[in-house]
């Protein structure tokens, strides 16, 4: 039986790279996205051209009804789930905490934290042996921000990613005896469009020289860590927080 993987936020960036590398590693892939259907369909096309099954499903991961509908569609189309990459994530414009709004924090935690927990909950209901599943693996996208704190940039984002770290540690231990492994990858400065979405398209060029390796990372370099954690090669690894940061 083919293994089925759901990657949230897979229409571009790290999520798209995970979808494609996972397809090369033998996974069928559900490509979740929130807005850009055309980009998601392009990823689906590339996964299919690698000989794997693929499907694009729209859902804002912070919207419970939309996430439940996405999992119902996944059940109908694939009938099983073996892996989840909680990749969908957002930043916001650089700001000090004394200038941040509650609406900003609700979006920051709604997408980055509750969205990941919600998708993990639904995945566990399908993968955990406690629920009749055959086991599986969850990889959460955290960030080096969780230990750096991102002062004067987005402390709220850093705090949300710290929540992801602790969620990973606790959930890994909670379901370790049920055939489900849970790990996180903490990227550093990676070349994707997320920096422009935070109002700073030059962020990578500005910060890359300060990285010990003196360069930014690529989405493919992050995906390599994610796909390894999903694979049987990582069969004894759970509760790990894997930094992919060039030493940052
Ligand atoms: P990106 O290029 O901005 O891509 C974000 C993806 O998430 C897009 O596919 C977007 O799809 C989707 N998305 C956004 N909000 C969503 C929502 N509410 N529901 C479902 N999908 C949603 O970001 P990235 O740089 O690849 O980042 C991916 C993950 O890595 C994030 O969790 C991020 O925090 C983390 N990370 C990134 C870096 C970095 O330097 N790039 C560093 C550390 C951690 P649509 O546009 O179609 O909505």
């Amino acid at each position: 039986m083919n293994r089925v993987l759901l990657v949230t936020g897979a229409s571009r960036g790290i999520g798209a790279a995970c979808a494609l590398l996972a397809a090369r590693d033998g996974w069928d892939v559900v490509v979740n996205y929130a807005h850009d259907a055309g980009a998601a369909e392009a990823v689906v096309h590339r996964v299919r051209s690698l000989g794997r099954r693929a499907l694009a499903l729209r859902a804002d991961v912070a919207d419970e009804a939309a996430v439940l509908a996405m999992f119902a569609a996944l059940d109908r189309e694939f009938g099983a789930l073996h892996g989840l990459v909680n990749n969908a994530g957002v930043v916001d414009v650089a700001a000090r905490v004394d200038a941040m709004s509650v609406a900003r924090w609700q979006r920051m935690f709604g997408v980055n934290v509750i969205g990941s927990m919600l998708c993990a909950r639904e995945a566990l209901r399908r993968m955990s042996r406690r629920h009749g599943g055959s086991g599986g693996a969850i990889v959460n996208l955290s960030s080096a921000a969780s230990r750096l704190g991102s002062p004067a940039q987005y402390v709220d984002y850093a705090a949300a990613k710290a929540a992801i770290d602790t969620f990973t540690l606790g959930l890994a231990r909670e379901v370790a005896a049920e055939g489900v492994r849970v790990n996180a990858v903490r990227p550093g400065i990676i070349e994707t469009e997320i920096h422009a979405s935070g109002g700073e398209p030059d962020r990578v060029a500005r910060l890359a020289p300060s990285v010990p390796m003196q360069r930014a990372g690529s989405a493919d370099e992050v995906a390599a860590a994610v796909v390894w954690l999903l694979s049987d090669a990582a069969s004894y690894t759970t509760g790990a927080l894997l930094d992919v940061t060039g030493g940052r």
Side-chain angles (χ1 to χ4, degrees):
M1 187 179 63
N2 290 342
R3 294 175 303 163
V4 178
L5 174 68
L6 168 62
V7 184
T8 66
S11 57
R12 63 170 186 267
I14 292 167
C18 289
L20 293 169
L21 197 61
R24 287 198 181 88
D25 206 35
W27 292 87
D28 291 341
V29 186
V30 177
V31 175
N32 160 258
Y33 66 101
H35 308 103
D36 193 343
E41 287 299 342
V43 174
V44 163
H45 183 76
R46 291 176 68 189
V47 169
R48 287 181 182 152
S49 71
L50 292 166
R52 310 303 336 170
R53 295 180 70 198
L55 181 66
L57 291 176
R58 182 197 295 266
D60 175 347
V61 295
D63 178 341
E64 184 175 18
V67 168
L68 293 180
M70 171 174 71
F71 274 89
L74 187 157
D75 291 340
R76 282 195 302 276
E77 292 294 325
F78 291 91
L81 182 68
H82 310 92
L84 166 68
V85 180
N86 265 323
N87 168 80
V90 292
V91 295
D92 209 320
V93 296
R96 288 172 47 99
V97 170
D98 52 17
M100 289 179 186
S101 67
V102 169
R104 168 180 166 133
W105 292 337
Q106 282 169 333
R107 171 176 173 267
M108 193 67 79
F109 278 74
V111 175
N112 293 333
V113 182
I114 295 179
S116 295
M117 292 169 61
L118 177 56
C119 290
R121 184 189 77 188
E122 292 307 309
L124 285 168
R125 289 175 177 175
R126 289 156 177 83
M127 300 191 311
S128 167
R129 289 203 289 258
R130 181 187 177 94
H131 295 283
S134 58
I138 297 174
V139 179
N140 297 319
L141 267 293
S142 173
S143 170
S146 74
R147 55 179 170 72
L148 297 172
S150 306
Q153 178 128 51
Y154 28 59
V155 167
D156 51 349
Y157 171 79
K161 292 301 188 180
I164 290 298
D165 287 357
T166 304
F167 178 63
T168 301
L169 296 176
L171 184 61
R173 290 164 182 151
E174 188 166 294
V175 300
E178 300 168 21
V180 181
R181 295 181 299 103
V182 186
N183 294 286
V185 169
R186 300 197 294 198
I189 308 293
I190 309 300
E191 295 217 41
T192 73
E193 293 170 34
I194 201 170
H195 310 287
S197 74
E200 209 189 335
D202 298 332
R203 184 167 181 267
V204 169
R206 178 171 64 79
L207 291 176
S210 69
V211 175
M213 281 191 183
Q214 299 188 320
R215 66 171 179 86
S218 70
D220 285 341
E221 288 175 307
V222 178
V226 171
V227 171
W228 175 72
L229 285 168
L230 290 171
S231 76
D232 291 342
S235 55
Y236 199 54
T237 301
T238 198
L241 309 177
L242 177 53
D243 286 2
V244 181
T245 62
R248 189 165 186 249

